[in-house]
Amino acid sequence: QNQLGQHQAALDSLNEARDIYLRVSGEGNETADIDVATSKVHKTLGEHKKAVRSLRWAVRTRQRTLGFASYETRQAAEMLSKMETEMHHVLNDTSEAPLAQFGSPEDKQAN
């Protein structure tokens, strides 16, 4: 419970810092760094969709400010790719794919 509170406090601080940077200097490297950090906290909390969303913002911002070929952009894009793959596996592992068993619910009970 205490760790959950610390993670939520970290997210609040990151969001506040992002808002300040956004107001002072606009979207740029600093906000992208905050988005990456925010995604890591969301991932730790198991909030994969929020983590992916934060990383997508970071990649877009870095693409605009640093270019597609910059090291930071490629690094964030690689993190995003890995996290999207993890999210895909998490979502597929926690819910059954429709008609995956190719049988009726009665067939499933018989197993």
Side-chain angles (χ1 to χ4, degrees), residues 17-70:
R18 190 182 197 290
D19 289 343
I20 291 169
Y21 275 114
L22 197 58
R23 275 184 268 136
V24 171
S25 57
E27 205 158 31
N29 295 333
E30 292 84 6
T31 57
D33 290 343
I34 292 169
D35 291 336
V36 170
T38 300
S39 76
K40 290 178 181 180
V41 176
H42 282 304
K43 182 181 175 189
T44 300
L45 292 172
E47 300 172 340
H48 296 283
K49 288 183 181 181
K50 290 179 180 180
V52 166
R53 185 178 49 210
S54 293
L55 269 180
R56 283 184 181 151
W57 276 110
V59 170
R60 288 180 188 139
T61 301
R62 287 181 175 174
Q63 286 172 340
R64 280 194 308 272
T65 58
L66 302 173
F68 287 84
S70 78

Side-chain angles (χ1 to χ4, degrees), residues 10 14 42 51 64 80 98 108:
L14 288 166
H42 282 304
R64 280 194 308 272
L80 175 60
K108 190 174 181 180

Side-chain angles (χ1 to χ4, degrees), residues 60-96:
R60 288 180 188 139
T61 301
R62 287 181 175 174
Q63 286 172 340
R64 280 194 308 272
T65 58
L66 302 173
F68 287 84
S70 78
Y71 174 75
E72 291 87 355
T73 302
R74 288 183 287 127
Q75 186 178 30
E78 184 178 326
M79 288 173 58
L80 175 60
S81 176
K82 286 180 183 178
M83 195 166 298
E84 285 176 330
T85 301
E86 286 177 25
M87 185 176 81
H88 176 75
H89 289 298
V90 166
L91 292 177
N92 286 337
D93 289 345
T94 59
S95 64
E96 281 189 38

